[in-house]
Amino acid sequence: MKLSRCILSAILLPTATLTVAAFAPNGVNINTQLAKSVTTESSTALQADAPIQKPTYGEESRKYRRTVFGHDDWVKHRRPDRFVKNLSTIFDSGVTQGTRFEVSCVAGVATFATLWNGLFYEGLRDFNGVLHDPIVNLNAPLVLPAMPFTVSVSALALLITFRTNNAYQRWFEARRCWGIINTECRNVARMAGAWCVPSKEPNRAKRVYDIRRVSTASWIFMRCLQRHVGGPDDEADFQRTVREWVPPEEAEAMIAAPHRPMRGLYYLSRCIERLPLTERQRIEVDKSCVIIGDICGAAERIYGTPIPLMYTRHTSRFLSTWLLFLPFAMWEPFGKAWNHWEMVPASALVALFLFGIDELSIQLEEPFSVLPIGNIVNGVKNLCESMPEWHQEYSDIEYPPSVEDPMWGR
């Protein structure tokens, strides 16, 4: 028991020092170098395009999580044997791969507790069940009571649940933002193709050209926003796409713009201005542009504002400490097991699921790199490319006379 208290004191002493530093007066210089390193780390973390020296498995696997479901996928998703498949692939799971280090640490602590108590307190049994004396017989085992874990598990569950719910809410809101942008960009292209009528612009070739420009600008804006909330790996493809579909001068200005989505929306507005529309029609189209701008700001808010770091870090520290000390409380309950070894896989399994929940929260907190944004942009691109073709399907005399109704003005 004395040894246990020594270990706890060694671990809690640095924490107490940091706590005192947090409440120290401004004139007291405590851990200055540590504060500078934390400040530098936080500043670097806010740079979205800062290169990552060694991408982790979690980062590399995010591009494979951009799931898009169809009918067959939903049928497969509801299969009654899905539980068997999910259990059989538990070790191939991305969550399992992403938490290998944390789970290994907990399993290592459990192994250490088992060996320490076997070698220095209880002794070890061989495969024949013969108990061998410990090397050094200590007075007490290296264990912890279960009561602190029982008391604190409710608080830990609340912290993890709150964090997971907020991470999912961010993912849901980001998907909703892209859904609205998808709808409004298609609306702009639709209105451009349907409202450019011969009575306002007799030149058919010019009408088709202007409609094509608006349609292209609609999905180019989405491409700008995709790059804006994405990583630097997409830069080369973004520049190639913009130079291919946008006039040269505008393309270079869009690439060099400090805020590319707003430059893309500005370009879309300029293309709309060329359309032969009535005043009321322009107002309707501009309403969609205003909504697009508002949702763009919402997407930037999600991308640039994480869940408060103090909450995330405190939850992580609480969870890590709780799980790393848990094996010491599991040694006595596994007393009937051979040398208490069953507590090692039990501790690892508990750590896998709890650290897995934290991993899910981390992966969902920044939702744009796991959303199928590329599929959304390509879908709007294909639809917008069809608008000029649909416009040309009608002859000049086939446009409905309702667009000439006096209520629309001239």
Side-chain angles (χ1 to χ4, degrees):
M1 187 60 66
K2 293 181 179 180
L3 183 61
S4 302
R5 292 175 181 174
C6 293
I7 295 176
L8 286 175
S9 300
I11 293 175
L12 294 177
L13 182 59
T15 306
T17 304
L18 293 178
T19 305
V20 173
F23 292 95
N26 294 332
V28 180
N29 187 3
I30 299 178
N31 293 337
T32 304
Q33 297 299 326
L34 179 61
K36 290 182 179 179
S37 64
V38 171
T39 303
T40 305
E41 180 183 355
S42 301
S43 302
T44 306
L46 294 177
Q47 300 175 3
D49 291 345
I52 301 175
Q53 298 296 332
K54 187 178 180 181
T56 61
Y57 176 87
E59 289 298 322
E60 290 293 327
S61 64
R62 289 177 70 84
K63 57 188 174 183
Y64 301 111
R65 302 183 187 275
R66 301 162 187 171
T67 308
V68 179
F69 263 30
H71 173 74
D72 294 339
D73 298 303
W74 284 113
V75 172
K76 183 179 179 182
H77 186 66
R78 295 189 294 263
R79 289 179 57 180
D81 62 343
R82 61 187 181 275
F83 304 104
V84 177
K85 180 180 179 182
N86 292 338
L87 289 175
S88 63
T89 58
I90 187 171
F91 296 107
D92 299 327
S93 168
V95 174
T96 303
Q97 298 295 327
T99 57
R100 284 182 300 178
F101 176 75
E102 295 91 333
V103 174
S104 298
C105 289
V106 174
V109 171
T111 303
F112 168 78
T114 302
L115 290 175
W116 180 277
N117 291 325
L119 293 174
F120 301 112
Y121 174 71
E122 187 181 59
L124 294 175
R125 294 183 182 275
D126 58 22
F127 292 108
N128 295 323
V130 178
L131 179 63
H132 298 272
D133 294 334
I135 298 176
V136 177
N137 193 352
L138 301 178
N139 293 329
L142 185 59
V143 296
L144 290 173
M147 185 187 67
F149 299 92
T150 305
V151 172
S152 61
V153 68
S154 298
L156 179 61
L158 287 175
L159 286 173
I160 295 177
T161 301
F162 178 83
R163 173 164 166 70
T164 305
N165 288 343
N166 276 271
Y168 174 76
Q169 184 62 34
R170 290 168 59 86
W171 179 90
F172 179 80
E173 187 177 356
R175 181 61 185 89
R176 181 174 176 271
C177 287
W178 274 98
I180 295 175
I181 291 175
N182 179 19
T183 301
E184 295 301 330
C185 286
R186 289 187 296 182
N187 282 339
V188 169
R190 174 188 60 80
M191 289 185 284
W195 289 353
C196 290
V197 294
S199 61
K200 299 181 180 62
E201 176 53 64
N203 188 334
R204 185 183 184 88
K206 186 178 184 305
R207 291 201 313 270
V208 173
Y209 175 76
D210 291 341
I211 294 171
R212 181 171 288 111
R213 284 192 53 168
V214 171
S215 300
T216 300
S218 297
W219 70 265
I220 283 294
F221 161 77
M222 298 181 67
R223 189 66 181 85
C224 291
L225 183 58
Q226 179 188 10
R227 172 62 188 91
H228 190 64
V229 297
D233 296 339
D234 189 37
E235 179 64 23
D237 184 68
F238 168 77
Q239 294 188 12
R240 182 172 58 253
T241 301
V242 170
R243 291 190 174 106
E244 178 181 356
W245 291 93
V246 179
E249 293 184 2
E250 181 61 36
E252 297 305 321
M254 194 176 294
I255 292 172
H259 196 285
R260 288 166 171 174
M262 189 54 62
R263 180 71 191 200
L265 186 58
Y266 174 80
Y267 174 63
L268 174 60
S269 300
R270 295 296 300 166
C271 293
I272 293 172
E273 185 65 24
R274 296 169 56 94
L275 295 176
L277 302 177
T278 65
E279 189 66 23
R280 184 166 180 177
Q281 288 171 338
R282 291 186 185 280
I283 293 175
E284 293 297 323
V285 178
D286 190 64
K287 287 181 181 179
S288 293
C289 292
V290 171
I291 294 175
I292 290 172
D294 291 342
I295 299 302
C296 176
E300 289 181 298
R301 170 176 53 80
I302 297 172
Y303 184 72
T305 309
I307 296 175
L309 296 180
M310 57 183 178
Y311 186 93
T312 301
R313 290 168 180 169
H314 182 72
T315 303
S316 179
R317 290 163 184 157
F318 191 171
L319 177 63
S320 301
T321 305
W322 198 89
L323 286 173
L324 286 173
F325 281 99
L326 180 64
F328 296 105
M330 298 178 68
W331 189 80
E332 290 183 344
F334 282 89
K336 294 183 179 181
W338 181 74
N339 289 327
H340 303 258
W341 277 106
E342 282 82 349
M343 67 177 259
V344 176
S347 301
L349 193 62
V350 173
L352 171 63
F353 291 126
L354 291 182
F355 276 128
I357 296 175
D358 184 69
E359 177 71 10
L360 291 176
S361 302
I362 290 292
Q363 294 294 331
L364 290 177
E365 186 177 2
E366 190 278 283
F368 296 103
S369 54
V370 293
L371 284 173
I373 299 178
N375 297 72
I376 297 174
V377 174
N378 290 333
V380 175
K381 174 179 177 291
N382 296 332
L383 181 64
C384 290
E385 288 178 350
S386 302
M387 290 299 172
E389 300 176 2
W390 294 352
H391 181 83
Q392 295 182 80
E393 290 178 359
Y394 295 91
S395 64
D396 290 349
I397 61 174
E398 288 179 312
Y399 283 93
S402 59
V403 296
E404 305 295 339
D405 193 288
M407 68 171 292
W408 288 98
R410 291 287 181 172

